[in-house]
Amino acid sequence: MKKLTKMVSVVCMTCLLGTLAAGCSSSENGNTSSSANPAAKPVTYTMFFNYGIPEFPDNGGEAKAKIIAQMEKAGVQGVDYKISMISGDEYKTKLNLLISSGEIPDYFNVDSTQLAMYVDQGLLRPLDDLLAKAPNLMKFIPKERFEGVTFDGKIYAIPQGVRTESFNSPNTAGLLVRQDWLDNLGLKQPTTLDELHTVLKGFTHDDPDKNGQDDTYGLGGNKATVFNTVFGAYGIGLMSGSIFWTEKEGKIVKSFVTPEAKQALAVLQQWYKEGLIDPEFPVMEPKQGDARIINSKVGVFEGDAFGVNAIGGGYYTSLLKVLPTAKITMINRITGPDGKKGWPEVNPYSGGALRAISVDAKDPERLIQMLDWSVSDDANGGVNLLTYGEENVDYTFDETKNLITQKTSYSDLYAKGFSNPVRFVQVTDRRWTDNTVRAALEIASSEIVKNEWWKTVPAELDYPDLEKKLWTEYFVKIVTGVWPVDRFDEFVQNYYQQGGQKIEQQANEEWQKSKN
Amino acid sequence: MIRKSWGERTFEAGNMLLLALLSLVTLYPLWHEISISLSSAAGAMRGGLFLFPRGFTLDAYKSVLSSSFIWLAYRNSIFVAVVGTVLHVLFTATTAYALNKRGLPGVKAMTLLLIFTMVFSGGMIPTYLLVKSLGLTNTLWALIFPGMISAFNVIVMQSFMRTIPEEVEESAMMDGANPLRIFFTIIMPLCKPVIATIALWECVGLWNNFMQALIYLNDKKLFTLPLLLKEIIAGQQLATDSGQFTTFAAESAIAATVIVSIVPILAVYPFLQKYFMKGTMLGSVKS
């Protein structure tokens, strides 16, 4: 009985000690971080990023000393960093908590809604004067991308950059084909819609995988697929994120009300009727769509240029494990009956992951100096070290081919403290791609159909169902032949009646203004 | 034995079939995860119905278990679950015991205050600020202290304690036991079923606690399993999105982590199961 009472008191004591110890350790942390760097007036920047990288060590790992040393060589003195990360929606929750409790990090990720909110609350530092002193950031970040982060004429966040090589274009999508199937059937890569039709027929009916069974489809897809190839062949970009605006007789209209869209739908319906399109595409998740590719059920599909990378770890890698003779290539844009071709562009204004600087950040000049150094290509610049680790240890760089070969896996790089977490400003850098991928990227960045108007007009927010519900229903039902192609006219009518009129009017007003 | 009619027997057969189906349906997702975690990249990505692992490999487990963080997270989770459960049960029991004494001054007000917390909570930000000003953020105690007494569990415990006849206590008092001794040597042992029940609830709750861990913990060395699990899943998705090369599919790594993190709590269940039934039922019927 005495034992029990004793135990209770021990438990209570442990609790008390625990709290005490906890209190001590947190204050200790504060001390060490500010006294870590011997240089004059060292600053530790706290950073908070939206990433899920469990391997990255809390203290920055062995990489930190190297990074700081190189920074000092380049003239950025006395800078230290402490990075914490959480991924997804939880990032927002935690960021809001930190802000409301006054623990706002110095440098952190924001999305566009948060950005607008924080700017409103005066939590972010305007960056124009700082960016003027950051030549490398200005060099790598495309001008358009600053538009989305400008409020009342001032820039409040740093968008992602793009390196200058052409293979870094954000447009990476195209049409992928099973080259080994083409070879099996003695067909050549299709260049026109008619040739593509022939190929699809061959892939569907002529047993391209030589397994003696009629178990393949020509064209694969999933519920996110809009068959951009076919719409592109009729000269319109259908969508990338949102439905595109196409110029028609001096004004802009949504692509999906144009007669070209109807023609494209007719082609798709025809193909679907002939059994060339995977009939389950409208109900498949992207992952299930990938499973069809891996199981050699489809021969032509939309994908991005990295899809041709055999060791990329994506569906191609898996496909090769199932069938070592498989070969996926990206083919040139398909030409339509009027000689048109193309692929919808990726939003040039979207800056990817945005990062902002707190209004309370100490010595922001030094922070921006550090960020500028982090993307710099100069002799002591940070980009290679931060992105790929140490030269000849973690990667080799072939200057003539402009090719970076990585030796250390990403998870080991993270564990050392390199790569994504310390890429303080993200700059698209595809110097690691080999010639196959670069060739595919070359195709994917050519023949791009522009969207005439990227901004959302107020009426679009009032009628959000037009693109997501109305169009999707007509698209799926017409392609799968449930409804005849002529009901497309009814769609156009419905669209205009249910708010499209207003959207078009507002968009045109702004579009005209921007042209003058 | 009473012979069952034909109708009864068909009903029972139907019942069995239905229940068997139901348990299959609940079991399959777990089996699916186990199969995926043991499959090779190609196998895992092929999708569809998984009855057995495709291309058996332990790579995913090797990778998951070789991360130093998983062991840290295990340690943290076990610490939180064990210490948290012990403290929770102890304080819930003492509270319930005291509030059952009608003669205690202010007992009504205390009970009201307790029940008040059942209906109203501080909300996330005020609670966070409180925990922060107590100096508990970025410690594992932040997961233990704020929820140490739950009003609901106190009420469950109270109603169970009421079933213990007062004469038991009185006779102990006669023999010269002080209240502490009565509580620990008479009441607590008699409350075993309800203690086991509450311990199980609390243990599972603490083990799965994601939100509090997310909010209060910053240092990676303090991450608990649910938090780490979430990071690993996000990390795998990042790896797939940026086309990084791995020998096992992201699916397999995620599945392996899921399995690794649920095994301990799964192992606790059978031992507490027998008390569980008793504990939830007892006190529900009063004579």
Side-chain angles (χ1 to χ4, degrees), chain B residues 29 159 162 192 276:
Chain B
S159 63
R162 279 197 206 108
K192 253 191 213 153
F276 201 69

Side-chain angles (χ1 to χ4, degrees), chain A residues 1 8 11 18-19 22 51-54 56 58 87 90 94 97 101 103 287 291 294-295 311-312 318 410, chain B residues 45-46 69 87 128-129 132 139 141 145 184-185 214-215 217-220 230-231 234-235 243-245 251:
Chain A
M1 319 319 107
V8 174
V11 168
T19 21
Y51 267 134
I53 298 177
F56 188 77
D58 256 341
S87 61
E90 286 75 21
K94 185 131 188 184
L97 263 178
S101 69
E103 299 166 281
K287 207 168 273 176
I294 296 161
N295 292 325
I311 55 163
S318 301
Y410 274 94
Chain B
M45 282 183 74
R46 275 161 72 190
F69 290 109
L87 291 179
Y128 178 82
L129 292 176
K132 190 189 157 215
T139 68
W141 298 106
F145 287 156
F184 282 110
T185 58
L214 167 80
I215 291 172
L217 303 179
N218 297 323
D219 283 0
K220 202 153 269 166
K230 154 94 191 159
E231 291 306 281
Q244 296 161 14
F245 178 64
E251 309 288 286

Side-chain angles (χ1 to χ4, degrees), chain B residues 41-245:
Chain B
M45 282 183 74
R46 275 161 72 190
L49 189 75
F50 267 89
L51 290 180
F52 295 103
R54 297 185 191 135
F56 183 85
T57 165
L58 288 171
D59 282 354
Y61 282 98
K62 273 184 207 149
S63 133
V64 168
L65 295 177
S66 67
S67 146
S68 62
F69 290 109
I70 191 119
W71 300 112
L72 265 178
Y74 248 119
R75 204 200 63 190
N76 292 335
S77 271
I78 290 174
F79 175 81
V80 169
V82 171
V83 176
T85 308
V86 168
L87 291 179
H88 184 95
V89 168
L90 180 73
F91 284 97
T92 304
T94 49
T95 313
Y97 181 67
L99 291 184
N100 260 0
K101 299 277 164 246
R102 293 215 186 83
L104 202 70
V107 73
K108 270 222 168 115
M110 296 272 274
T111 312
L112 267 176
L113 276 177
L114 190 75
I115 290 175
F116 187 80
T117 66
M118 247 175 120
V119 189
F120 301 99
S121 72
M124 189 165 70
I125 290 174
T127 312
Y128 178 82
L129 292 176
L130 173 70
V131 172
K132 190 189 157 215
S133 50
L134 289 174
L136 290 177
T137 44
N138 218 7
T139 68
L140 291 175
W141 298 106
L143 309 187
I144 296 173
F145 287 156
M148 204 149 68
I149 292 175
S150 106
F152 179 75
N153 287 352
V154 169
I155 290 168
V156 170
M157 190 79 101
Q158 266 184 308
S159 63
F160 187 88
M161 283 177 174
R162 279 197 206 108
T163 62
I164 302 170
E166 270 179 49
E167 290 77 8
V168 177
E169 273 184 57
E170 276 167 19
S171 61
M173 198 98 76
M174 296 287 224
D175 292 340
N178 62 14
L180 260 185
R181 189 162 168 179
I182 295 175
F183 177 73
F184 282 110
T185 58
I186 312 272
I187 304 296
M188 288 291 262
L190 284 173
C191 286
K192 253 191 213 153
V194 74
I195 286 176
T197 311
I198 289 175
L200 188 64
W201 283 343
E202 208 41 41
C203 191
V204 174
L206 284 167
W207 189 264
N208 292 333
N209 187 347
F210 173 71
M211 209 54 205
Q212 265 71 27
L214 167 80
I215 291 172
Y216 298 127
L217 303 179
N218 297 323
D219 283 0
K220 202 153 269 166
K221 59 177 189 292
L222 292 175
F223 273 23
T224 56
L225 272 177
L227 208 52
L228 186 76
L229 186 63
K230 154 94 191 159
E231 291 306 281
I232 288 179
I233 292 172
Q236 290 298 333
Q237 269 153 3
L238 180 74
T240 331
D241 290 349
S242 48
Q244 296 161 14
F245 178 64

Side-chain angles (χ1 to χ4, degrees), chain B residues 25-48:
Chain B
V25 167
T26 38
L27 196 66
Y28 177 70
L30 185 64
W31 182 245
H32 183 92
E33 286 299 289
I34 295 176
S35 297
I36 286 189
S37 71
L38 292 169
S39 294
S40 63
M45 282 183 74
R46 275 161 72 190

Side-chain angles (χ1 to χ4, degrees), chain A residues 114-360:
Chain A
Q114 278 175 311
L115 180 65
M117 196 168 81
Y118 296 155
V119 168
D120 237 25
Q121 296 169 353
L123 294 167
L124 305 180
R125 194 186 189 291
L127 302 175
D128 301 70
D129 55 326
L130 297 177
L131 285 170
K133 292 179 219 154
N136 287 308
L137 289 177
M138 294 314 283
K139 174 176 158 201
F140 288 121
I141 301 172
K143 297 264 169 308
E144 300 92 5
R145 293 194 176 177
F146 280 112
E147 276 192 29
V149 297
T150 304
F151 295 82
D152 296 329
K154 282 186 195 141
I155 295 170
Y156 280 96
I158 302 175
Q160 287 190 359
V162 177
R163 285 181 67 85
T164 43
E165 296 96 345
S166 66
F167 51 70
N168 290 313
S169 151
N171 295 296
T172 59
L175 199 63
L176 299 172
V177 170
R178 282 288 294 272
Q179 182 65 43
D180 55 320
W181 285 15
L182 286 176
D183 297 343
N184 277 349
L185 299 178
L187 295 164
K188 60 183 183 55
Q189 289 188 355
T191 55
T192 65
L193 266 190
D194 287 337
E195 285 173 21
L196 179 60
H197 190 195
T198 316
V199 166
L200 293 180
K201 274 195 281 193
F203 279 4
T204 309
H205 304 303
D206 299 344
D207 190 23
D209 54 352
K210 304 269 178 237
N211 68 349
Q213 283 167 345
D214 183 12
D215 58 354
T216 52
Y217 294 105
L219 192 55
N222 58 53
K223 66 186 202 183
T225 308
V226 289
F227 304 109
N228 282 312
T229 297
V230 182
F231 289 92
Y234 285 95
I236 56 169
L238 187 66
M239 70 183 292
S240 132
S242 61
I243 301 284
F244 273 30
W245 291 98
T246 305
E247 189 175 350
K248 283 260 169 204
E249 295 145 9
K251 61 175 200 161
I252 52 171
V253 295
K254 282 276 180 184
S255 295
F256 59 22
V257 300
T258 57
E260 286 89 341
K262 186 175 179 180
Q263 288 172 309
L265 284 174
V267 169
L268 286 169
Q269 191 186 62
Q270 177 63 28
W271 289 358
Y272 191 92
K273 265 188 200 151
E274 292 173 22
L276 310 182
I277 302 178
D278 186 343
E280 285 168 33
F281 87 88
V283 293
M284 280 198 294
E285 294 294 330
K287 207 168 273 176
Q288 293 167 291
D290 288 353
R292 296 281 175 134
I293 298 169
I294 296 161
N295 292 325
S296 290
K297 294 290 176 223
V298 293
V300 181
F301 39 89
E302 294 179 356
D304 72 23
F306 304 111
V308 305
N309 187 7
I311 55 163
Y315 43 73
Y316 194 9
T317 311
S318 301
L319 172 62
L320 283 173
K321 290 223 175 95
V322 183
L323 183 74
T325 53
K327 186 166 172 14
I328 294 179
T329 39
M330 183 171 276
I331 55 169
N332 283 306
R333 307 295 192 210
I334 299 291
T335 317
D338 303 327
K340 289 178 178 156
K341 57 184 167 179
W343 200 279
E345 69 171 334
V346 169
N347 188 346
Y349 298 101
S350 110
L354 308 175
R355 285 174 182 179
I357 296 179
S358 153
V359 76
D360 299 330

Side-chain angles (χ1 to χ4, degrees), chain A residues 488-504:
Chain A
F488 174 79
D489 303 330
E490 179 190 298
F491 161 74
V492 176
Q493 216 178 0
N494 278 338
Y495 171 73
Y496 280 118
Q497 273 169 10
Q498 294 175 19
Q501 195 78 48
K502 213 167 160 192
I503 294 174
E504 196 174 300

